Amino acid sequence: MAADIRGATNQAPPLVDHNTVSSDLALVEAVTRHASADIVDDLVALGAEASSAEAREHGLEANRHEPELTPYDRYGNRVDEVRFHPSWHWLMERGVGHGLQAAPWTSERPHPHVRRAAGFFAWSQTEPGHGCPISMTYAAVPALRVDDSIAKEWIPHLASTSYDFGLRPVSDKAGALAGMGMTEKQGGSDVRANVTRATPTSVDGEYTLAGHKWFTSAPMNDVFLVLAQAPGGLTCFLVPRVLADGTRNQLDVVRLKDKLGNRSNASSELEFRMTWARRLGDEGRGVRTIIEMVAATRLDCVLGSASLMRRSLAEASWHVAHRSAFGGLLADKPLMQNVIADLAVESEAATALAIRLAAAVDAAHDPHEAALRRIALPLTKFWVCKRTPMMVAEALECLGGNGYVEESAMPLLFRESPLNSIWEGSGNVNALDVLRALTREPEVLEAWITEVGRAQGEDPRLDRAVHHVLESLADTSALEVGARRLAGQMAACLQGALLVQHGPPAVADAFCATRLGTEYGGTLGTLPRGTDLAGIVERTTPTPR
């Protein structure tokens, strides 16, 4: 009998209806540990929607149909509008509706930032690009609070769970979104090299801007925080797209960036010509004004990368659980078990530390938590985001050729994987920020020592790694050249301490052996003999409801 070539067998079904919250035991345990089981229960509906076939299709469609810039209308009027596919709006409406933007800053519910972090982590698995405007809106609030009048005007709209797309005065909108325009073509991350000029008007606190911004994502957002050179030095400004009288601010969208990934999201170059702006904070204090905003976006870089890890792991573990080769199910093959288990160790460590950092935001008035957040955010941002491309590539390979085609969504995840290591300071910028914090703020080292010290004596490999970090800090002659190594070691020690205290013993042991010990084989899938591979794989493989 001839083979049926019109049908397909031995193919994994699409991964849908697995609930990105309740099926992720590492996430459930972290949220319960740092907040409560009630918050997990509150997020189950989000997880169900995020894992639906409908959400999966919208995520793919938003990337197939990229945003389009319309600089002029049909009559020749300058409009500078960006059009998005309906799937983008579907994703945004639900992301905003779930309170993943600025809602935690005004929430009276317990643990609002842990709740939001877990929701952002789980929802971003639908499609990562639309997380950018949501993240910027979340991060803008701390900066806006330096000016009471601006905060009262804008924060209620940014915290609204209503997605209201379109260019209108904020007073006429049910909700608003924020963006950022910090970098310029001559300086990049070196924002002190900015040359955009801010000229005071006759009205106190109001200026006009002239200059060019090199990267401004989501140009259809309602308001932007930008840095410009005022007479008193580098200063932060608030720039609305539409002025209070309904006229559009003089802000030109020059072009949309043709990016490697993140293609559902519009990233643009802007030009300012007599663009109206309000000063946010004092002249010359621009970097100080945005420092808390930087911290918030770095947290979302960690969460976004950890989310990419989890989505990639879920796809890989699901595939091998349904695909047979060489006489048996791939998930039963010892070497494939080693690969999936190692991917799971990486993902669980990233998840545990990301949620721990969100808990530090909820406890920002605690001196230990504030100091820990100051040092842990840049070193974790460096470590987790830097390891994501390697991890996603390995997960893609688990699907073989199936993972190399667009329908699998793995290429989308892979193209996205380097982004968070670049955004809000590349690896070098964050590693050097770790050194800056250690040098200028002695309390941050004490916070790190206290945090890892809670696991002292639980695993000798962790204890040795902590001791090695402290020895490295004593050699001040080599700190800058070794900044990346130091940041990675400090982050891995934090992850190891969390896993040793709270994680499954098999995961903690595998992490300490390979990330802190001497048994790393140079690539993923090299966990040492004796690791409970099958147990880790079973724990991490999603189960549809």
Side-chain angles (χ1 to χ4, degrees):
M1 179 182 295
D4 180 9
I5 61 173
R6 299 180 68 84
T9 60
N10 193 29
Q11 290 281 2
L15 175 58
V16 294
D17 296 334
H18 56 290
N19 198 302
T20 58
V21 173
S22 60
S23 71
D24 185 349
L25 296 182
L27 178 64
V28 168
E29 291 163 3
V31 173
T32 303
R33 178 165 63 248
H34 296 297
S36 70
D38 289 341
I39 289 182
V40 174
D41 293 341
D42 186 45
L43 291 170
V44 167
L46 177 154
E49 189 169 34
S51 66
S52 67
E54 184 179 17
R56 184 184 182 99
E57 184 61 22
H58 280 300
L60 292 172
E61 285 294 295
N63 282 272
R64 290 191 188 109
H65 305 280
E66 299 176 13
E68 298 179 354
L69 173 62
T70 304
Y72 298 91
D73 67 14
R74 59 179 291 196
Y75 303 106
N77 299 304
R78 187 89 196 206
V79 292
D80 294 290
E81 294 186 1
V82 179
R83 296 176 181 173
F84 293 88
H85 188 266
S87 287
W88 168 270
H89 296 298
W90 188 96
L91 293 162
M92 287 294 299
E93 181 178 11
R94 283 150 183 82
V96 171
H98 286 301
L100 306 182
Q101 23 54 287
W105 301 106
T106 61
S107 175
E108 297 181 357
R109 302 164 73 179
H111 311 289
H113 292 279
V114 168
R115 182 198 180 280
R116 184 262 173 189
F120 185 81
F121 172 97
W123 182 256
S124 293
Q125 293 174 50
T126 60
E127 189 281 325
H130 76 287
C132 180
I134 289 174
S135 177
M136 292 189 296
T137 303
Y138 170 71
V141 170
L144 295 177
R145 284 179 168 172
V146 305
D147 187 303
D148 287 341
S149 64
I150 291 176
K152 289 177 182 178
E153 178 182 1
W154 282 97
I155 290 178
H157 291 87
L158 300 178
S160 169
T161 53
S162 296
Y163 175 60
D164 191 354
F165 182 80
L167 299 181
R168 303 189 304 282
V170 68
S171 58
D172 295 343
K173 301 193 71 173
L177 296 170
M180 302 171 191
M182 304 297 166
T183 60
E184 296 181 9
K185 48 192 169 184
Q186 75 285 343
S189 295
D190 184 7
V191 295
R192 295 188 187 277
N194 282 11
V195 296
T196 295
R197 308 304 302 179
T199 302
T201 70
S202 59
V203 179
D204 183 45
E206 297 184 7
Y207 295 68
T208 58
L209 305 184
H212 186 111
K213 289 297 176 180
W214 192 233
F215 266 99
T216 303
S217 283
M220 288 297 287
N221 283 4
D222 300 282
V223 67
F224 300 91
L225 301 185
V226 305
L227 291 175
Q229 299 288 354
L234 190 67
T235 304
C236 186
F237 294 92
L238 178 139
V239 178
R241 279 288 327 246
V242 179
L243 302 178
D245 62 4
T247 60
R248 296 192 179 188
N249 209 352
Q250 296 187 56
L251 180 159
D252 294 344
V253 182
V254 179
R255 62 172 175 168
L256 300 185
K257 297 288 194 178
D258 187 7
K259 300 171 293 183
L260 168 67
N262 199 251
R263 299 185 72 89
S264 66
N265 176 43
S267 298
S268 66
E269 293 176 37
L270 300 184
E271 285 187 353
F272 300 142
R273 295 186 180 90
M274 294 295 294
T275 304
W276 184 89
R278 290 176 68 182
R279 190 183 70 244
L280 191 59
D282 295 332
E283 282 194 7
R285 301 284 288 174
V287 172
R288 175 57 54 187
T289 301
I290 67 168
I291 201 70
E292 284 298 312
M293 181 187 74
V294 171
T297 50
R298 284 179 174 174
L299 174 60
D300 275 9
C301 287
V302 174
L303 289 165
S305 289
S307 177
L308 284 171
M309 286 185 176
R310 175 57 197 174
R311 168 73 189 274
S312 301
L313 168 64
E315 294 285 351
S317 61
W318 177 257
H319 177 84
V320 303
H322 294 84
R323 178 82 162 179
S324 293
F326 308 110
L329 200 63
L330 284 175
D332 294 334
K333 305 292 185 182
L335 188 54
M336 182 59 80
Q337 286 184 344
N338 200 319
V339 173
I340 298 296
D342 213 354
L343 292 170
V345 169
E346 193 73 29
S347 176
E348 291 215 18
T351 300
L353 186 50
I355 301 302
R356 173 64 186 93
L357 293 178
V361 182
D362 276 325
H365 297 297
D366 182 296
H368 168 75
E369 297 295 313
L372 178 67
R373 186 168 68 108
R374 172 66 185 97
I375 188 67
L377 276 174
L379 62 85
T380 304
K381 200 265 191 189
F382 168 82
W383 179 247
V384 170
C385 299
K386 188 65 67 180
R387 295 181 68 80
T388 302
M390 169 193 68
M391 194 270 195
V392 175
E394 195 68 60
L396 183 155
E397 189 174 319
C398 292
L399 278 68
N402 288 341
Y404 206 69
V405 297
E406 291 292 338
E407 291 93 335
S408 72
M410 297 303 292
L412 186 159
L413 302 179
F414 185 62
R415 288 192 297 270
E416 190 79 14
S417 63
L419 173 61
N420 288 318
S421 191
I422 298 169
W423 189 32
E424 210 54 71
S426 62
N428 284 358
V429 170
N430 278 272
L432 291 172
D433 193 30
V434 171
L435 293 188
R436 187 179 302 108
L438 290 169
T439 302
R440 299 179 180 179
E441 305 168 59
E443 67 273 13
V444 303
L445 179 58
E446 289 301 317
W448 182 85
I449 291 173
T450 299
E451 196 72 11
V452 297
R454 290 171 176 156
Q456 186 174 6
E458 297 293 331
D459 191 291
R461 296 161 297 193
L462 174 59
D463 291 344
R464 285 194 294 270
V466 171
H467 180 71
H468 181 70
V469 166
L470 297 177
E471 282 187 330
S472 299
L473 288 171
D475 182 9
T476 57
S477 65
L479 281 180
E480 181 167 341
V481 72
R484 279 177 167 237
R485 180 183 294 272
L486 177 66
Q489 289 174 336
M490 293 181 74
C493 286
L494 285 174
Q495 290 178 320
L498 287 168
L499 292 176
V500 164
Q501 293 175 88
H502 308 294
V507 173
D509 181 66
F511 182 90
C512 290
T514 53
R515 277 69 171 177
L516 301 176
T518 60
E519 300 191 60
Y520 176 56
T523 187
L524 292 168
T526 58
L527 296 178
R529 181 181 302 177
T531 302
D532 181 13
L533 302 175
I536 297 174
V537 171
E538 181 180 3
R539 167 183 167 83
T540 202
T541 303
T543 303
R545 60 179 183 271

Short mmCIF file of all heavy atoms in Angstrom, two decimals, residues 434-464:
data_model
loop_
_atom_site.label_atom_id
_atom_site.label_comp_id
_atom_site.label_asym_id
_atom_site.label_seq_id
_atom_site.Cartn_x
_atom_site.Cartn_y
_atom_site.Cartn_z
N VAL A 434 27.40 48.16 37.49
CA VAL A 434 27.62 47.36 38.70
C VAL A 434 28.84 47.90 39.45
O VAL A 434 28.79 48.11 40.67
CB VAL A 434 27.80 45.87 38.34
CG1 VAL A 434 28.25 45.08 39.58
CG2 VAL A 434 26.51 45.29 37.78
N LEU A 435 29.92 48.13 38.75
CA LEU A 435 31.12 48.68 39.38
C LEU A 435 30.86 50.06 39.98
O LEU A 435 31.32 50.38 41.08
CB LEU A 435 32.26 48.78 38.37
CG LEU A 435 32.85 47.49 37.81
CD1 LEU A 435 34.09 47.80 36.98
CD2 LEU A 435 33.19 46.51 38.93
N ARG A 436 30.10 50.87 39.25
CA ARG A 436 29.80 52.22 39.74
C ARG A 436 29.03 52.14 41.06
O ARG A 436 29.32 52.88 42.01
CB ARG A 436 29.00 52.97 38.69
CG ARG A 436 28.77 54.44 39.01
CD ARG A 436 27.98 55.14 37.90
NE ARG A 436 28.65 55.03 36.61
CZ ARG A 436 28.24 54.27 35.60
NH1 ARG A 436 27.13 53.54 35.74
NH2 ARG A 436 28.90 54.23 34.48
N ALA A 437 28.06 51.25 41.11
CA ALA A 437 27.28 51.11 42.34
C ALA A 437 28.14 50.60 43.49
O ALA A 437 28.05 51.09 44.62
CB ALA A 437 26.10 50.17 42.10
N LEU A 438 28.99 49.63 43.21
CA LEU A 438 29.86 49.09 44.26
C LEU A 438 30.83 50.13 44.79
O LEU A 438 31.16 50.15 45.98
CB LEU A 438 30.63 47.89 43.71
CG LEU A 438 29.82 46.62 43.42
CD1 LEU A 438 30.66 45.63 42.63
CD2 LEU A 438 29.31 45.99 44.71
N THR A 439 31.28 51.01 43.92
CA THR A 439 32.26 52.03 44.30
C THR A 439 31.63 53.17 45.09
O THR A 439 32.20 53.65 46.08
CB THR A 439 32.95 52.59 43.04
OG1 THR A 439 33.58 51.52 42.33
CG2 THR A 439 34.01 53.62 43.42
N ARG A 440 30.43 53.59 44.66
CA ARG A 440 29.83 54.80 45.23
C ARG A 440 28.84 54.52 46.35
O ARG A 440 28.54 55.42 47.15
CB ARG A 440 29.12 55.59 44.12
CG ARG A 440 30.04 56.06 43.01
CD ARG A 440 29.25 56.82 41.96
NE ARG A 440 30.11 57.29 40.86
CZ ARG A 440 29.67 57.95 39.80
NH1 ARG A 440 28.37 58.23 39.70
NH2 ARG A 440 30.51 58.33 38.86
N GLU A 441 28.30 53.31 46.40
CA GLU A 441 27.23 53.02 47.35
C GLU A 441 27.57 51.74 48.10
O GLU A 441 27.14 50.65 47.71
CB GLU A 441 25.90 52.87 46.62
CG GLU A 441 25.53 54.09 45.75
CD GLU A 441 24.37 53.82 44.81
OE1 GLU A 441 23.27 53.48 45.31
OE2 GLU A 441 24.56 53.94 43.58
N PRO A 442 28.33 51.82 49.18
CA PRO A 442 28.78 50.62 49.88
C PRO A 442 27.66 49.74 50.40
O PRO A 442 27.84 48.53 50.58
CB PRO A 442 29.62 51.19 51.04
CG PRO A 442 29.24 52.63 51.15
CD PRO A 442 28.86 53.06 49.79
N GLU A 443 26.49 50.33 50.60
CA GLU A 443 25.38 49.53 51.11
C GLU A 443 24.91 48.47 50.11
O GLU A 443 24.29 47.47 50.51
CB GLU A 443 24.21 50.42 51.50
CG GLU A 443 23.51 51.15 50.36
CD GLU A 443 24.15 52.48 50.01
OE1 GLU A 443 25.28 52.74 50.47
OE2 GLU A 443 23.49 53.28 49.29
N VAL A 444 25.21 48.64 48.82
CA VAL A 444 24.72 47.66 47.85
C VAL A 444 25.49 46.34 47.97
O VAL A 444 24.91 45.26 47.78
CB VAL A 444 24.79 48.20 46.40
CG1 VAL A 444 24.00 49.50 46.29
CG2 VAL A 444 26.20 48.37 45.90
N LEU A 445 26.76 46.40 48.28
CA LEU A 445 27.52 45.15 48.48
C LEU A 445 27.02 44.44 49.73
O LEU A 445 26.89 43.20 49.74
CB LEU A 445 29.01 45.44 48.59
CG LEU A 445 29.90 44.21 48.82
CD1 LEU A 445 29.71 43.18 47.70
CD2 LEU A 445 31.36 44.63 48.93
N GLU A 446 26.73 45.20 50.77
CA GLU A 446 26.18 44.58 51.98
C GLU A 446 24.85 43.89 51.69
O GLU A 446 24.57 42.82 52.21
CB GLU A 446 26.00 45.64 53.07
CG GLU A 446 27.30 46.16 53.66
CD GLU A 446 28.14 45.04 54.28
OE1 GLU A 446 27.56 44.19 54.98
OE2 GLU A 446 29.36 45.02 54.05
N ALA A 447 24.04 44.53 50.84
CA ALA A 447 22.75 43.92 50.49
C ALA A 447 22.96 42.62 49.73
O ALA A 447 22.27 41.61 49.97
CB ALA A 447 21.92 44.89 49.66
N TRP A 448 23.93 42.61 48.79
CA TRP A 448 24.22 41.38 48.03
C TRP A 448 24.74 40.28 48.96
O TRP A 448 24.30 39.13 48.87
CB TRP A 448 25.23 41.68 46.93
CG TRP A 448 25.56 40.51 46.07
CD1 TRP A 448 24.88 40.07 44.97
CD2 TRP A 448 26.67 39.60 46.24
NE1 TRP A 448 25.48 38.95 44.44
CE2 TRP A 448 26.58 38.63 45.20
CE3 TRP A 448 27.70 39.50 47.17
CZ2 TRP A 448 27.50 37.60 45.07
CZ3 TRP A 448 28.62 38.47 47.05
CH2 TRP A 448 28.51 37.53 46.01
N ILE A 449 25.64 40.64 49.86
CA ILE A 449 26.19 39.65 50.80
C ILE A 449 25.09 39.09 51.69
O ILE A 449 25.03 37.87 51.95
CB ILE A 449 27.31 40.30 51.65
CG1 ILE A 449 28.53 40.62 50.77
CG2 ILE A 449 27.70 39.38 52.80
CD1 ILE A 449 29.60 41.41 51.48
N THR A 450 24.20 39.96 52.15
CA THR A 450 23.08 39.50 52.98
C THR A 450 22.19 38.54 52.21
O THR A 450 21.76 37.50 52.73
CB THR A 450 22.26 40.70 53.48
OG1 THR A 450 23.09 41.54 54.28
CG2 THR A 450 21.06 40.24 54.29
N GLU A 451 21.91 38.89 50.96
CA GLU A 451 20.99 38.07 50.16
C GLU A 451 21.57 36.69 49.89
O GLU A 451 20.90 35.68 50.07
CB GLU A 451 20.68 38.80 48.85
CG GLU A 451 19.47 38.26 48.11
CD GLU A 451 18.15 38.58 48.77
OE1 GLU A 451 18.11 39.41 49.71
OE2 GLU A 451 17.13 37.99 48.35
N VAL A 452 22.80 36.62 49.42
CA VAL A 452 23.40 35.31 49.15
C VAL A 452 23.74 34.60 50.45
O VAL A 452 23.77 33.35 50.51
CB VAL A 452 24.65 35.42 48.26
CG1 VAL A 452 24.27 35.97 46.88
CG2 VAL A 452 25.74 36.25 48.89
N GLY A 453 23.97 35.37 51.53
CA GLY A 453 24.30 34.77 52.81
C GLY A 453 23.17 33.97 53.44
O GLY A 453 23.41 33.13 54.31
N ARG A 454 21.95 34.20 52.97
CA ARG A 454 20.81 33.44 53.49
C ARG A 454 20.89 31.97 53.11
O ARG A 454 20.20 31.12 53.69
CB ARG A 454 19.51 34.05 52.99
CG ARG A 454 19.22 35.40 53.63
CD ARG A 454 18.05 36.12 52.99
NE ARG A 454 17.78 37.36 53.72
CZ ARG A 454 17.16 38.42 53.23
NH1 ARG A 454 16.74 38.40 51.96
NH2 ARG A 454 16.95 39.49 53.96
N ALA A 455 21.71 31.66 52.11
CA ALA A 455 21.89 30.26 51.70
C ALA A 455 23.25 29.72 52.14
O ALA A 455 23.64 28.64 51.71
CB ALA A 455 21.75 30.14 50.19
N GLN A 456 23.97 30.45 52.96
CA GLN A 456 25.31 30.02 53.37
C GLN A 456 25.27 28.65 54.04
O GLN A 456 24.43 28.39 54.90
CB GLN A 456 25.93 31.04 54.32
CG GLN A 456 27.38 30.75 54.67
CD GLN A 456 28.00 31.86 55.50
OE1 GLN A 456 27.33 32.80 55.91
NE2 GLN A 456 29.29 31.76 55.75
N GLY A 457 26.17 27.79 53.62
CA GLY A 457 26.25 26.46 54.19
C GLY A 457 25.36 25.43 53.55
O GLY A 457 25.46 24.23 53.85
N GLU A 458 24.50 25.86 52.63
CA GLU A 458 23.56 24.93 51.98
C GLU A 458 24.21 24.17 50.83
O GLU A 458 23.81 23.05 50.53
CB GLU A 458 22.34 25.69 51.47
CG GLU A 458 21.51 26.36 52.56
CD GLU A 458 20.83 25.34 53.45
OE1 GLU A 458 20.52 24.22 52.98
OE2 GLU A 458 20.60 25.66 54.63
N ASP A 459 25.19 24.77 50.18
CA ASP A 459 25.88 24.10 49.07
C ASP A 459 27.31 24.64 48.99
O ASP A 459 27.50 25.85 48.85
CB ASP A 459 25.16 24.37 47.74
CG ASP A 459 25.67 23.50 46.61
OD1 ASP A 459 26.83 23.72 46.19
OD2 ASP A 459 24.94 22.61 46.14
N PRO A 460 28.31 23.77 49.08
CA PRO A 460 29.70 24.26 49.10
C PRO A 460 30.10 24.96 47.81
O PRO A 460 30.96 25.85 47.82
CB PRO A 460 30.52 22.99 49.33
CG PRO A 460 29.62 21.86 48.92
CD PRO A 460 28.23 22.31 49.23
N ARG A 461 29.50 24.60 46.69
CA ARG A 461 29.83 25.26 45.43
C ARG A 461 29.36 26.70 45.42
O ARG A 461 30.05 27.60 44.91
CB ARG A 461 29.23 24.48 44.26
CG ARG A 461 29.82 23.07 44.12
CD ARG A 461 28.94 22.15 43.30
NE ARG A 461 27.63 21.94 43.91
CZ ARG A 461 26.78 20.99 43.54
NH1 ARG A 461 27.08 20.17 42.53
NH2 ARG A 461 25.61 20.84 44.14
N LEU A 462 28.20 26.94 45.99
CA LEU A 462 27.71 28.32 46.13
C LEU A 462 28.60 29.10 47.09
O LEU A 462 28.97 30.25 46.81
CB LEU A 462 26.26 28.31 46.62
CG LEU A 462 25.64 29.67 46.96
CD1 LEU A 462 25.64 30.59 45.75
CD2 LEU A 462 24.22 29.49 47.50
N ASP A 463 28.97 28.49 48.20
CA ASP A 463 29.83 29.18 49.16
C ASP A 463 31.16 29.56 48.52
O ASP A 463 31.67 30.67 48.73
CB ASP A 463 30.08 28.29 50.38
CG ASP A 463 28.83 28.09 51.23
OD1 ASP A 463 27.87 28.87 51.07
OD2 ASP A 463 28.80 27.15 52.04
N ARG A 464 31.74 28.67 47.74
CA ARG A 464 33.02 28.97 47.09
C ARG A 464 32.86 30.09 46.06
O ARG A 464 33.75 30.93 45.91
CB ARG A 464 33.58 27.71 46.42
CG ARG A 464 34.18 26.70 47.39
CD ARG A 464 35.01 25.66 46.66
NE ARG A 464 34.20 24.82 45.79
CZ ARG A 464 33.63 23.67 46.16
NH1 ARG A 464 33.77 23.23 47.42
NH2 ARG A 464 32.93 22.95 45.31
#
